[in-house]
């Protein structure tokens, strides 16, 4: 919606343009009328739509054609004023004033026009019969208002309609020639209908209608009002009501009826509540609300966000099998302009027989939120989060974590999503490692996915020390980390080399020395392809010796060629290193971790007992 409204009054001399403005301001007819009134501004708090309104007068005697054109260009709406008692001023609307306003905009957007018949006190009856043909000829004419500056009749209404023509324009919604909604309006209202249809039965029940009504207008409809609405729809639209529920055709008809009866502000209220701007596209403010993410912080869905996306999943899981089929996923994406998740989706998250289970679905939302929170906010916006959850914006669904520096100072993290960079030479098995994280060994990978470009991300949940964390694996080529300024920051680094070809180990050591040796990021060397014979040792330190010298955990061997499911212990180890980086130089097994905590607690208890005993001895000595 526009921040302010600029209204320009045009018309022949002596039709009363200036008198209308002065009568509005002073609430009385002026005895003396200047050739042209000064521009006035009506504050937002005294206008019906709560926006500041600027009213500008014009005068052919005092302004050149160029100056008039400049004012027309700046105006949001033009009021063409005529004298109801002089037919010549009515004819000039068609021949002079409308061509002046919109003469050069045959194909572009036109300035809305309000026809104003002044001096109604001088003529009995109405001038509408003479004006209607003009209104039919020019679709940019929003309405016609007859008024009297002398009797103060319809003065406020005139400027209200002018303001309404700017804030709730008819042109984007409705084609007066075909008497139908425009395609963009139909598309927007169809999305709103689908979001409001919570059970996906292609119709709105009374409960769904009332939820929609309350969301848009703040209060539900009375039972009798609901019945009246459905009765009107039944009378005019075949199939508009089915099983006492309002269908999409009925919903679109109601909005067409609102517009035809001059209540297009009702349709605009609906559209704006669901995020649409003046061009009937979802506005930038709606899709990208403010969210400050300081350097070193990450973004996660909070419990409000997870509850919402889970409800969306359950809504579209029509067969209640706990997974989304390709058809069900397509239905979920029907409120987006295009499918937001690409073909690599099934390579990034856990799946079940080629379908997307709830667990994999939540993993994907977690991945998008972490990697690109702006994209996540857009997705939540398309799904109607602010409207359906009654929140100011979808930023309500996001948590911004504390800085990583504070996590490192405290020795553990509060983050629920951890990032692991999987770095190594080409061919060492990084892509297979990512798929193994999703439970797919080489023998269990979907042949249909093999010809596709491998996904560089994989996400799953891992339990570490009694806590469930999301772990993201990000595959990176070692050469790119060495040759470019690629971001190497992560919660844990997995440096992978081929155990059957130790040439690849040297590349990992170079990455370690360049990016991680002097930092606080825990690192784990992984020897892949453990099912193959061990490679010939090269001159210099062996992998085990290198790790001992740099006080790193011993290299972990891994293979994803076994016939069963891959061993997940290595992923638990990586998640534990990321969550508790201060343990990186010691044992990382859960038993060792809890033993340390237990010994610490016992030590604290013993110290407390000794302190109390010493205190009692001192009292006795006194």
């Amino acid at each position: 919606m526009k921040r302010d409204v600029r209204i320009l009054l045009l018309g022949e001399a002596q039709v009363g343009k200036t008198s209308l403005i002065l009568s509005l301001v002073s609430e009385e007819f002026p005895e003396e009328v200047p050739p042209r009134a000064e521009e006035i501004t009506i504050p937002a708090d005294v206008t019906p739509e709560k926006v500041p309104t600027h009213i500008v007068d014009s005068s052919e005697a005092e302004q050149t054609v160029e100056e008039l054109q400049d004012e027309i260009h700046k105006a949001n709406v033009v009021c063409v004023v005529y004298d109801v008692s002089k037919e010549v001023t009515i004819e000039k609307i068609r021949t002079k004033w409308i061509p002046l306003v919109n003469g050069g905009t045959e194909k572009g957007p036109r300035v809305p026009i309000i026809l104003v018949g002044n001096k109604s006190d001088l003529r009995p009856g109405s001038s509408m019969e003479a004006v209607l043909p003009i209104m039919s000829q020019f679709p940019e004419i929003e309405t016609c208002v007859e008024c009297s500056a002398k009797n103060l009749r319809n003065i406020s209404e005139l400027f209200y309609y002018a303001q309404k023509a700017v804030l709730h324009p008819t042109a984007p919604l409705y084609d007066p020639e075909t008497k139908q909604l425009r395609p963009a309006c139909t598309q927007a209202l169809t999305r709103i209908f689908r979001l409001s249809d919570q059970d996906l039965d292609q119709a709105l029940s009374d409960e769904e209608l009332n939820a929609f009504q309350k969301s848009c207008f703040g209060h539900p409809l009375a039972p009798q009002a609901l019945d009246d609405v459905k009765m009107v729809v039944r009378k005019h639209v075949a199939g508009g009501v089915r099983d006492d529920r309002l269908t999409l055709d009925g919903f679109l008809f109601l909005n067409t009826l609102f517009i035809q009866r001059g209540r297009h502000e009702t349709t605009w209220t609906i559209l704006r509540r669901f995020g649409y701007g003046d061009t009937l596209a979802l506005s930038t403010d709606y899709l990208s609300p403010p969210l400050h993410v300081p350097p070193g912080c990450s973004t996660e869905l909070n419990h409000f966000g997870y509850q919402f996306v889970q409800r969306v999943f359950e809504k579209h899981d029509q067969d209640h099998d706990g997974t989304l089929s390709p058809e069900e996923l397509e239905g979920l994406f029907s409120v987006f302009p295009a499918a937001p998740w690409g073909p690599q989706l099934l390579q990034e998250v856990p799946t079940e027989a080629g379908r997307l289970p709830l667990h994999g679905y939540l993993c994907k939302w977690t991945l998008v939120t972490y990697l690109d929170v702006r994209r996540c906010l857009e997705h939540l916006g398309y799904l109607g989060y602010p409207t359906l959850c009654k929140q100011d914006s979808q930023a309500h669904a996001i948590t911004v974590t504390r800085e990583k520096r504070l996590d490192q100072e405290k020795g553990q993290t509060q983050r629920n999503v951890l990032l692991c960079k999987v770095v190594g030479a080409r061919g060492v098995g990084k892509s297979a490692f990512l798929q193994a994280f999703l439970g797919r060994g080489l023998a269990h990978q979907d042949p249909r996915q093999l010809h596709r470009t491998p996904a560089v991300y994989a996400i799953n949940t891992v339990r570490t020390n009694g806590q469930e964390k999301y772990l993201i694996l990000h595959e990176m080529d070692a050469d790119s980390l060495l040759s470019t300024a690629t971001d190497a920051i992560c919660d844990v680094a997995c440096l992978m080399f081929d155990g059957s070809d130790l040439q690849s180990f040297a590349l990992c050591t170079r990455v370690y020395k360049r990016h991680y040796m002097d930092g606080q990021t825990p690192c784990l060397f992984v020897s892949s392809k453990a099912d193959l014979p061990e490679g010939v040792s090269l001159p210099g330190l062996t992998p085990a010796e290198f790790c001992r010298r740099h006080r790193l955990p011993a290299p972990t061997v891994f293979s994803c060629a076994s016939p069963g499911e891959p061993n997940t212990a290595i992923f638990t180890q990586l998640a534990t290193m990321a969550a508790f980086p201060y343990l990186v130089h010691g044992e990382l097994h859960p038993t060792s971790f809890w033993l340390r905590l237990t010994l610490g607690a016992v030590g604290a208890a013993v110290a407390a007992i000794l302190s109390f005993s010493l205190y009692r001895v001192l009292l006795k000595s006194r």
Side-chain angles (χ1 to χ4, degrees), residues 291-302 306 366-374 376 395 397-407 413-419 469-470 472 487 489-491 578:
L291 180 69
H292 179 57
V293 183
C297 300
S298 63
T299 47
E300 304 173 0
L301 279 182
N302 57 33
Y306 280 118
T366 304
L367 180 66
V368 173
T369 307
Y370 185 91
L371 296 179
D372 189 350
V373 70
R374 293 293 161 196
C376 174
I398 306 296
T399 290
V400 179
T401 66
R402 70 185 181 187
E403 289 184 56
K404 188 174 179 60
R405 172 182 57 82
L406 297 176
D407 286 345
T413 182
Q414 295 178 332
R415 299 183 180 193
N416 295 311
V417 186
L418 305 169
L419 177 63
K469 302 283 188 181
Y470 283 97
I472 299 172
D487 184 10
I489 296 173
C490 55
D491 298 300

Side-chain angles (χ1 to χ4, degrees), residues 142-208:
E142 292 281 332
T143 190
C144 177
V145 181
E146 291 191 341
C147 58
S148 169
K150 185 173 184 179
N151 294 342
L152 306 183
R153 174 175 173 261
N154 286 344
I155 304 298
S156 297
E157 287 79 0
L158 148 66
F159 292 103
Y160 165 72
Y161 282 117
Q163 190 181 61
K164 182 178 170 181
V166 176
L167 302 179
H168 309 300
T170 306
L173 307 181
Y174 184 75
D175 185 341
E177 294 182 1
T178 64
K179 295 182 170 54
Q180 292 181 345
L181 297 175
R182 295 192 184 275
C185 182
T186 299
Q187 184 178 2
L189 290 172
T190 300
R191 169 181 169 268
I192 292 169
F193 179 89
R194 288 173 177 164
L195 290 175
S196 304
D197 180 15
Q198 291 301 308
D199 56 9
L200 289 184
D201 66 347
Q202 312 301 317
L204 299 183
S205 65
D206 286 359
E207 183 180 356
E208 290 168 336

Side-chain angles (χ1 to χ4, degrees), residues 301-331:
L301 279 182
N302 57 33
H303 69 283
F304 295 112
Y306 280 118
Q307 285 174 357
F308 174 75
V309 297
Q310 183 166 339
R311 286 198 303 271
V312 173
F313 179 95
E314 292 166 352
K315 169 182 174 178
H316 290 273
D317 181 17
Q318 289 288 282
D319 54 9
H320 306 292
D321 66 346
T323 66
L324 293 181
S325 67
E327 295 74 24
E328 289 169 335
L329 199 58
E330 185 180 347

Side-chain angles (χ1 to χ4, degrees), residues 252-525:
L252 295 175
F253 165 75
L254 282 176
N255 282 280
T256 305
L257 194 63
F258 292 146
I259 296 166
Q260 289 174 341
R261 294 184 176 179
R263 291 175 52 196
H264 35 284
E265 67 272 16
T266 302
T267 298
W268 273 115
T269 300
I270 294 169
L271 291 165
R272 289 186 173 123
R273 185 70 184 93
F274 280 83
Y276 289 93
D278 292 343
T279 61
L280 291 188
L282 290 173
S283 67
T284 302
D285 290 344
Y286 174 81
L287 289 177
S288 301
L291 180 69
H292 179 57
V293 183
C297 300
S298 63
T299 47
E300 304 173 0
L301 279 182
N302 57 33
H303 69 283
F304 295 112
Y306 280 118
Q307 285 174 357
F308 174 75
V309 297
Q310 183 166 339
R311 286 198 303 271
V312 173
F313 179 95
E314 292 166 352
K315 169 182 174 178
H316 290 273
D317 181 17
Q318 289 288 282
D319 54 9
H320 306 292
D321 66 346
T323 66
L324 293 181
S325 67
E327 295 74 24
E328 289 169 335
L329 199 58
E330 185 180 347
L332 190 154
F333 291 156
S334 66
V335 295
F336 289 73
W341 299 343
Q344 291 188 327
L345 167 65
L346 300 182
Q347 293 181 277
E348 295 175 332
V349 300
T351 58
E352 292 180 12
R355 295 162 73 99
L356 185 64
L358 177 61
H359 175 61
Y361 169 84
L362 295 178
C363 283
K364 179 61 179 180
W365 273 105
T366 304
L367 180 66
V368 173
T369 307
Y370 185 91
L371 296 179
D372 189 350
V373 70
R374 293 293 161 196
R375 190 161 152 246
C376 174
L377 290 171
E378 282 188 8
H379 293 176
L380 290 172
Y382 284 121
L383 290 170
Y385 181 92
T387 312
L388 300 178
C389 293
K390 302 178 179 64
Q391 298 297 329
D392 292 334
S393 79
Q394 53 271 39
H396 175 261
I398 306 296
T399 290
V400 179
T401 66
R402 70 185 181 187
E403 289 184 56
K404 188 174 179 60
R405 172 182 57 82
L406 297 176
D407 286 345
Q408 292 170 337
E409 289 175 2
K410 294 181 181 296
Q412 68 178 49
T413 182
Q414 295 178 332
R415 299 183 180 193
N416 295 311
V417 186
L418 305 169
L419 177 63
C420 171
K421 301 269 189 181
V422 181
V423 183
R426 292 184 180 182
V428 300
K430 300 187 297 296
S431 297
F433 185 72
L434 265 64
Q435 293 306 300
F437 182 43
L438 304 178
R440 306 174 195 137
L442 290 176
H444 297 88
Q445 293 187 21
D446 187 346
R448 293 171 296 180
Q449 303 290 338
L450 296 179
H451 69 283
R452 292 179 175 170
T453 303
V456 296
Y457 289 101
I459 180 171
N460 206 342
T461 52
V462 179
R463 290 199 69 82
T464 171
N465 299 315
Q467 302 176 21
E468 186 173 79
K469 302 283 188 181
Y470 283 97
L471 180 64
I472 299 172
L473 302 186
H474 180 199
E475 176 184 335
M476 299 194 72
D477 189 62
D479 288 329
S480 68
L481 277 179
L482 292 172
S483 61
T484 63
T486 306
D487 184 10
I489 296 173
C490 55
D491 298 300
V492 60
C494 173
L495 302 169
M496 182 173 289
F497 61 96
D498 184 348
S500 65
D501 180 8
L502 295 181
Q503 292 280 1
S504 57
F505 175 71
L507 202 57
C508 288
T509 61
R510 289 168 59 198
V511 171
Y512 172 76
K513 290 176 180 178
R514 177 166 177 175
H515 290 287
Y516 300 115
M517 186 169 71
D518 298 325
Q520 294 180 286
T521 302
C523 297
L524 179 67
F525 280 80

